[in-house]
Amino acid sequence: MPDPLKLYKAKRDFKITAEPKEGGEASKGLLTFVIQKHWATRLHYDFRLELDGVMKSWAVPKGPSFDTHDRRMAVHVEDHPISYSDFEGTIPPQQYGAGKVIVWDKGTWEPVGDPRKGFAKGEIKFEMHGHKMHGRWVLVRLRGHEDDRQEPWLLIKENDEYARPAAGFSVVDEMPDSVRDLPMPASGAAAAAKPARKAAAKPKRGAPPDGAVKADLPATLAPELATLVDGPPADTENYIYEIKFDGYRMLTRVQGKDIRFVTRNGNDWTAKLGPLQQEVRRMKLPDGWYDGEIVVHDENGKPNFNLLQLAFDGSNTARIVYFVFDVPYCKGYDLRDVRLDARRALLQDVLAAKPSDIVRFSTEFGTDPAQLVVAACQIGLEGVIGKRRDSRYVTRRSPEWIKLKCGQRQEFVIGGYTDPQGSRTGIGSLLLGYYDKDGVLRYAGNCGSGFNGASLRHMRAALEQIATDKSPFPPRAVPGRTNHWVRPELVAEVSFSEWTATDSIRHPVFQGLRKDKPARSVVRELPKHMQAEAPPADAKPARKRAAKKAPAADDALPGNLPATFKVTHGERVMDAESGVTKVEMVRYYALVGTLMMAYLKGRPVSLVRAPEGVGGELFFQKHVGDTRKMPGVVRMDQALDPDHPSMTAIATTEGLLSSAQWNVVEIHSQNATAGHYDTPDRMVFDLDPGEGVEWPAVQEAAQLVRAFLQELGLNPFLKTSGGKGLHVVVPLKPKLDWDTVKDFSHAIVDHLARTLPERFSAKSGAKNRVGRIFIDYLRNGRGATTVAAWSARARPGLGISVPVRWEELPGLKSGSHWTVKTVHTRLDEGNAPWADYARSATTLTKAMKALGFKPGKQ
């Protein structure tokens, strides 16, 4: 009898590779499957089904998709031994398939029909029971390829209760890690309850629910956010519905007696919630992260946002009530991959063990969302939240949590106010706005309703503290000549009846100030349309379509990317440490594009390309010869720098995507713009720690540099470098030439190094900064560059450079505090920490005089 593993063995030298030569017992019950994530020449997923004592195997470049419209190419490869299902490790260089391998998913599979006949025919239907893979699937061989050595097949999700659109869920992106050390998941009749129409079965007392993973309690957690929609979903029975509370979103971290309350933006509000902290401590809740909303009820028992604010201001003694609706971590387990109804069942049991009047479980509100919204509006509530019963917890805005509002209501930035008329005191009305995609504050109308005498006077006092002479809106955007302007820092929550044709709000009513949201995050909130469920798909017609035209090598990307934008070799791993692929890099720059363009427009850039990814050879390019294949990337006027080829600029956010498609990881920018290239508009000090310097010393050094610059009358700003150190940036009015600015920055660094020689070095080179920090002033020379804010770094882990407030410095863990993988935890803050950057620009005249610096004599 021929050896089914002959080809497998012939390709490998088992004296070198740790892969198993043979072995593994055939299953006595249900057949097993494994999917291995494999970083070979290109990242792909090895899809293996046990059959006839071996693992039938396919290489799936893009990995599986739960979208029934996706046809994933699956190349049939040689059979593998059953023992291969447990293999994790690195296949050595020069060996077949060299690269890292992890067990991405495992479980059991049930064939639908005879799998052997299906294999011979070219169509295998089956049901999967894994940690990540569920429901019915089909493998279909493309016609006309039966004799190929490596036959092309398609892996397709069949339409069932597990099917989900790709725009809302990517299993390979959202569940990237190994499951090797997890127990085999339940299968067949004992499988976890299906995610539609029926609630998940309660786990046995003491047993973790399916999907729970043993994990340490993380120090921080970003909440899942709901998406505003224009109507109820078609499959309403697949959702649970809760009251939309009129309060503040609040996460609670419990670790023994250490109890902290954190807002949706990561601000610690523990000190403001003393009574609530005492109550949670009394309840002795298990260690975990709890997610909910804090509210204050009025005399009718309705949540009242204004009363909640007064409770914080100390104006009354109203009782704050905490409604808890989710538990992403609990009892030593990460529950984010547990379906929602199972998480809520566990949460309800936890809260019921020690009942409380002020810490309550957020119960379901009913089953008919249309009637629920009507009822909510009638009793004066804000609306209804719907959540898919099977949804996992994701730390970002999700289409699986939806908001159905009674009326129009959202946050607006206060840009000014008018004077009161007649007997009214304080203010007449607020001038409201929101930020558009280009970061411009757009005028949205006035709001004068919803105040009383006390709140009018309080508002006037608060606004006078942030008064300014300059309008934060575009010129002539706001009618009237007697308006008072304020810095755009305060956020008002306002209800209104509708948007007018001129993009203003009608019948606005002030609800209160929001202290949990940064002004820069306020945009116009537009409801998304709920799509109807896709009709059932038939695998055979799909096969016929596929036979005519094989799928493209790279799909158009959803989300923030233009529909026409293509990414080639998107599966290529750009960083082995984080596993980030090329397509994820493109998506990252799509995500931060608007934030980043604020620091790139009109500014010469240099691009750092990494065709082989982090760890490979890097190419630093200041001049791009042909930009025709890079939309959004332009060549600048050569007259700016006549002695060299034309410099490069990124003109639009699409230029960022084009650059990432061209394998660019880092984007550096110069200290001047094209409008005044001979006179730089900023000064940069790069704090670069030498060997033996610990992070606390870098933090202390940044504070020292800041203090000295402020003593000179300058206004320094801070950002992480994305690498080991920090960047201190001083905005300048473009008055002085390059040499003068560079020489003065050198004088500042020399002064610091002479004053504190044990801490600072003014000389580069590793031997000059052992145990010290080199303050790199060379970034201030003509043509020199510094990594731009929000740029990734071509270093293991892909840290990113992020603008921060000086008050945040003590909480930073390193210069790469945020990475491409964790940027979502920072997006709500955006560029808000540098909101005053442009207004803080100054000349260097007084600073030079204070330091005794004379241009041209250094």
Side-chain angles (χ1 to χ4, degrees):
M1 184 175 178
D3 182 0
L5 299 177
K6 181 178 179 181
L7 182 57
Y8 168 82
K9 295 174 182 176
K11 290 184 174 184
R12 292 160 175 83
D13 184 346
F14 296 102
K15 295 177 182 176
I16 299 175
T17 181
E19 297 165 278
K21 185 175 182 179
E22 51 196 356
E25 292 186 11
S27 301
K28 295 178 181 178
L30 289 174
L31 299 167
T32 62
F33 82 85
V34 69
I35 301 176
Q36 282 155 315
K37 190 173 180 179
H38 188 175
W39 287 269
T41 305
R42 296 182 182 179
L43 173 68
H44 64 275
Y45 294 77
D46 292 316
F47 188 96
R48 311 191 197 282
L49 302 176
E50 179 190 354
L51 188 65
D52 294 333
V54 296
M55 302 300 290
K56 296 291 184 185
S57 299
W58 291 261
V60 184
K62 292 181 178 295
S65 168
F66 276 75
D67 192 323
T68 59
H69 299 91
D70 286 343
R71 278 79 175 118
R72 294 300 203 214
M73 179 66 77
V75 179
H76 183 223
V77 297
E78 72 276 8
D79 295 343
H80 283 53
I82 292 176
S83 58
Y84 204 96
S85 297
D86 197 44
F87 174 69
E88 271 197 357
T90 300
I91 302 173
Q94 310 306 317
Q95 286 294 294
Y96 179 74
K100 180 182 174 183
V101 177
I102 65 170
V103 177
W104 181 79
D105 197 18
K106 64 181 179 181
T108 59
W109 70 286
E110 297 178 73
V112 177
D114 188 327
R116 296 165 188 83
K117 290 182 179 178
F119 184 79
K121 180 182 174 184
E123 182 177 291
I124 311 171
K125 291 189 174 185
F126 49 95
E127 187 163 350
M128 304 186 75
H129 311 289
H131 292 284
K132 304 171 185 179
M133 300 292 286
H134 303 285
R136 298 191 305 274
W137 299 75
V138 62
L139 275 163
V140 180
R141 184 171 58 213
L142 295 181
R143 289 182 176 175
H145 296 277
E146 288 84 350
D147 298 329
D148 288 1
R149 193 166 190 176
Q150 289 192 314
E151 306 162 336
W153 293 55
L154 299 176
L155 175 65
I156 305 168
K157 180 76 187 79
E158 294 207 290
N159 196 288
D160 61 13
E161 53 267 53
Y162 291 98
R164 297 165 73 178
F169 175 71
S170 168
V171 67
V172 295
D173 290 333
E174 299 196 22
M175 301 182 181
D177 300 324
S178 170
V179 301
R180 178 185 175 183
D181 296 329
L182 299 181
M184 285 292 281
S187 58
K194 293 182 178 181
R197 299 173 179 85
K198 292 182 181 179
K202 255 189 182 181
K204 294 179 181 179
R205 187 168 296 278
D210 288 340
V213 178
K214 271 281 188 186
D216 293 334
L217 192 64
T220 60
L221 181 72
E224 180 161 358
L225 303 177
T227 299
L228 178 65
V229 295
D230 59 0
D235 55 338
T236 60
E237 67 273 25
N238 289 338
Y239 286 74
I240 66 167
Y241 299 95
E242 303 171 68
I243 290 172
K244 189 179 189 308
F245 295 104
D246 196 3
Y248 281 147
R249 183 73 173 276
M250 196 63 59
L251 292 160
T252 305
R253 187 181 189 274
V254 177
Q255 190 167 34
K257 293 183 179 180
D258 181 18
I259 295 159
R260 292 194 293 109
F261 297 100
V262 183
T263 69
R264 56 176 282 179
N265 290 310
N267 298 318
D268 193 324
W269 279 24
T270 309
K272 301 182 180 184
L273 295 166
L276 191 58
Q277 184 187 42
Q278 292 175 16
E279 180 65 359
V280 172
R281 188 171 287 139
R282 180 198 68 80
M283 295 172 70
K284 296 183 178 178
L285 295 179
D287 288 0
W289 275 100
Y290 298 84
D291 192 358
E293 188 114 353
I294 56 172
V295 303
V296 168
H297 294 101
D298 62 17
E299 64 275 9
N300 299 314
K302 180 169 72 77
N304 185 295
F305 186 70
N306 197 39
L307 288 178
L308 176 61
Q309 289 188 304
L310 293 175
F312 286 120
D313 293 340
S315 304
N316 65 18
T317 56
R319 185 176 66 162
I320 293 176
V321 178
Y322 186 31
F323 285 96
V324 189
F325 46 69
D326 213 327
V327 56
Y329 284 83
C330 191
K331 299 180 180 179
Y333 286 91
D334 179 347
L335 305 180
R336 290 176 298 168
D337 281 343
V338 175
R339 45 183 291 149
L340 173 69
D341 46 16
R343 293 197 308 269
R344 283 176 55 83
L346 186 150
L347 174 63
Q348 192 168 13
D349 285 348
V350 166
L351 295 179
K354 287 283 182 72
S356 169
D357 286 338
I358 64 172
V359 180
R360 307 178 189 175
F361 179 67
S362 174
T363 57
E364 291 191 38
F365 189 43
T367 57
D368 186 334
Q371 292 183 8
L372 292 176
V373 173
V374 172
C377 299
Q378 288 175 343
I379 61 178
L381 296 174
E382 193 181 344
V384 173
I385 296 287
K387 302 171 183 175
R388 282 194 65 94
R389 295 181 181 277
D390 65 321
S391 62
R392 62 187 291 270
Y393 193 97
V394 295
T395 53
R396 54 174 169 74
R397 193 170 298 282
S398 166
E400 296 188 317
W401 286 20
I402 59 174
K403 293 185 283 189
L404 296 160
K405 289 188 175 182
C406 288
Q408 304 256 25
R409 178 165 165 158
Q410 73 159 76
E411 300 84 28
F412 290 95
V413 179
I414 301 175
Y417 62 95
T418 62
D419 286 322
Q421 301 295 318
S423 61
R424 186 175 172 120
T425 60
I427 65 167
S429 63
L430 298 173
L431 307 177
L432 304 176
Y434 61 89
Y435 284 100
D436 66 13
K437 64 180 181 179
D438 295 319
V440 177
L441 187 65
R442 296 296 176 188
Y443 174 62
N446 292 24
C447 176
S449 299
F451 300 95
N452 57 31
S455 61
L456 285 169
R457 290 189 295 273
H458 178 270
M459 181 62 72
R460 178 69 179 241
L463 294 173
E464 286 180 343
Q465 302 227 349
I466 56 172
T468 180
D469 294 332
K470 184 178 180 182
S471 169
F473 301 102
R476 296 180 294 282
V478 185
R481 297 184 178 181
T482 58
N483 299 319
H484 300 277
W485 307 118
V486 298
R487 297 193 301 273
E489 297 174 0
L490 294 181
V491 176
E493 178 138 351
V494 177
S495 59
F496 56 99
S497 60
E498 63 180 346
W499 287 93
T500 69
T502 57
D503 290 334
S504 293
I505 52 177
R506 194 188 301 278
H507 307 134
V509 178
F510 176 75
Q511 300 295 329
L513 291 175
R514 292 209 74 110
K515 299 178 182 178
D516 60 334
K517 293 187 178 181
R520 289 294 304 187
S521 72
V522 173
V523 297
R524 181 171 173 178
E525 194 169 12
L526 298 173
K528 289 184 168 53
H529 179 63
M530 290 296 288
Q531 299 289 335
E533 289 290 295
D538 188 322
K540 290 187 178 179
R543 178 182 171 186
K544 290 177 182 177
R545 288 193 297 271
K548 293 177 183 177
K549 184 179 179 181
D554 293 279
D555 299 333
L557 298 170
N560 295 316
L561 303 183
T564 57
F565 194 87
K566 302 282 185 179
V567 177
T568 57
H569 309 301
E571 73 285 354
R572 178 187 296 143
V573 176
M574 298 298 290
D575 173 46
E577 181 174 305
S578 62
V580 169
T581 61
K582 180 178 175 180
V583 73
E584 288 177 306
M585 284 298 305
V586 177
R587 284 176 174 150
Y588 166 75
Y589 279 114
L591 200 60
V592 301
T594 301
L595 297 172
M596 198 168 180
M597 286 306 299
Y599 306 109
L600 290 179
K601 269 205 165 169
R603 205 173 284 275
V605 299
S606 295
L607 308 176
V608 179
R609 295 175 56 226
E612 300 171 5
V614 174
E617 188 175 1
L618 301 179
F619 298 88
F620 195 89
Q621 290 194 260
K622 191 174 181 180
H623 313 285
V624 177
D626 185 359
T627 60
R628 287 174 295 180
K629 294 182 180 180
M630 299 179 69
V633 178
V634 298
R635 298 174 68 185
M636 304 186 81
D637 187 349
Q638 190 171 356
L640 295 176
D641 194 3
D643 296 332
H644 299 89
S646 296
M647 294 181 289
T648 302
I650 294 179
T652 65
T653 53
E654 191 174 10
L656 294 170
L657 310 188
S658 300
S659 299
Q661 155 63 14
W662 204 42
N663 299 308
V664 170
V665 175
E666 296 186 12
I667 298 172
H668 295 238
S669 63
Q670 293 192 31
N671 287 357
T673 63
H676 42 77
Y677 185 68
D678 291 327
T679 51
D681 62 0
R682 73 184 184 201
M683 196 162 47
V684 177
F685 299 93
D686 179 4
L687 276 60
D688 191 358
E691 183 182 344
V693 177
E694 300 295 332
W695 176 246
V698 180
Q699 293 170 297
E700 184 183 41
Q703 291 286 21
L704 290 169
V705 172
R706 177 198 188 193
F708 183 59
L709 292 173
Q710 287 178 325
E711 190 176 331
L712 294 176
L714 302 174
N715 302 310
F717 287 76
L718 180 69
K719 70 183 178 78
T720 62
S721 69
K724 296 186 297 182
L726 293 166
H727 292 162
V728 178
V729 184
V730 178
L732 303 176
K733 292 181 179 179
K735 302 291 185 182
L736 301 174
D737 61 78
W738 286 99
D739 288 343
T740 301
V741 172
K742 180 185 175 183
D743 288 346
F744 183 54
S745 69
H746 189 181
I748 290 172
V749 173
D750 273 347
H751 179 88
L752 286 167
R754 287 196 307 271
T755 306
L756 298 167
E758 73 285 357
R759 298 179 188 232
F760 296 123
S761 170
K763 295 182 179 179
S764 60
K767 66 178 182 180
N768 295 318
R769 47 183 168 144
V770 174
R772 295 187 294 172
I773 293 170
F774 169 54
I775 308 178
D776 187 354
Y777 64 90
L778 299 172
R779 311 271 178 178
N780 299 305
R782 185 185 183 98
T785 60
T786 304
V787 71
W790 300 103
S791 171
R793 304 302 303 273
R795 304 181 182 195
L798 290 174
I800 56 178
S801 179
V802 177
V804 295
R805 297 178 179 86
W806 283 102
E807 295 76 16
E808 296 179 281
L809 177 57
L812 298 178
K813 305 300 182 187
S814 70
S816 56
H817 186 92
W818 292 278
T819 68
V820 167
K821 281 286 192 182
T822 64
V823 66
H824 60 273
T825 65
R826 187 64 179 179
L827 289 177
D828 278 353
E829 280 289 312
N831 290 331
W834 282 25
D836 293 331
Y837 181 88
R839 288 190 290 271
S840 301
T842 184
T843 63
L844 292 176
T845 307
K846 291 182 179 179
M848 289 178 175
K849 186 175 181 181
L851 193 63
F853 174 86
K854 294 183 179 180
K857 295 186 178 182
Q858 302 305 310

